[in-house]
Amino acid sequence: MNDELRLQLLRILAERPELSQRELAHELGLSLGKTNYCLRALIARGWVKVNNFRTSGNKRAYAYVLTPSGIQAKFSAASRFLQQRQSEYLRLEREIEQLRGELAQAQSANAAPMQTTQS
C-alpha cells in the first residue's frame, strides 16, 4: 500500500469510523477485497483497532478506530505525501517555464521576416 492510499484510508477512518468495508471501498474507488486487505494491514500494524458493537438493527456492526500509533502514522504519511507533492510541484514549475521559453523562441523565430530574393 503506497503512502497516498494509506493516507486516504487513515483520513477516512479518522473522520468516519463507522463506515462499512463496502462503503469504504466505494469511497476509495477500490475493490472490496483490496479494501479488506488494506484494513487488515493497518490492523496488523496496530494502527487501527476494530470495535464490534451490537445494535438491534445490525448484528455485525463495526467501527474502525485509529490507535495513537495510527494517528502518528497518519501524520507521518501526510508529511511524506506533502513532501512528494511539493517536489513534484517544483519539478512541474521548472518544466512549464522551460516549455514557455521554447514556445517563445519558436514564436519569435516564426515571426521573423522572411528574406526574399528578387531578380
Side-chain angles (χ1 to χ4, degrees):
M1 172 176 9
N2 63 29
D3 275 343
E4 184 175 4
L5 177 56
R6 184 177 300 115
L7 179 58
Q8 283 181 312
L9 189 51
L10 291 170
R11 276 180 171 168
I12 292 170
L13 292 177
E15 294 171 10
R16 295 179 294 171
E18 76 288 348
L19 285 180
S20 70
Q21 284 190 26
R22 190 171 305 280
E23 292 167 328
L24 192 55
H26 179 72
E27 187 89 13
L28 292 167
L30 299 175
S31 70
L32 186 56
K34 178 149 184 168
T35 301
N36 181 276
Y37 173 82
C38 291
L39 274 174
R40 287 183 184 276
L42 295 180
I43 292 166
R45 287 186 164 206
W47 294 349
V48 173
K49 69 179 181 177
V50 182
N51 286 343
N52 185 347
F53 57 94
R54 299 192 181 275
T55 61
S56 60
N58 186 355
K59 296 296 181 201
R60 295 185 62 183
Y62 298 96
Y64 299 98
V65 181
L66 266 60
T67 63
S69 61
I71 293 169
Q72 180 62 40
K74 178 183 161 198
F75 174 77
S76 296
S79 179
R80 284 189 307 274
F81 187 67
L82 177 61
Q83 287 176 335
Q84 289 171 355
R85 288 296 194 235
Q86 286 176 325
S87 175
E88 185 178 328
Y89 177 79
L90 292 173
R91 184 187 57 76
L92 286 171
E93 273 189 324
R94 287 190 299 268
E95 188 176 330
I96 288 170
E97 284 306 312
Q98 182 181 357
L99 288 169
R100 283 183 177 152
E102 289 173 11
L103 286 173
Q105 267 185 331
Q107 286 174 342
S108 65
N110 288 338
M114 295 184 67
Q115 294 180 358
T116 58
T117 56
Q118 293 181 342
S119 26

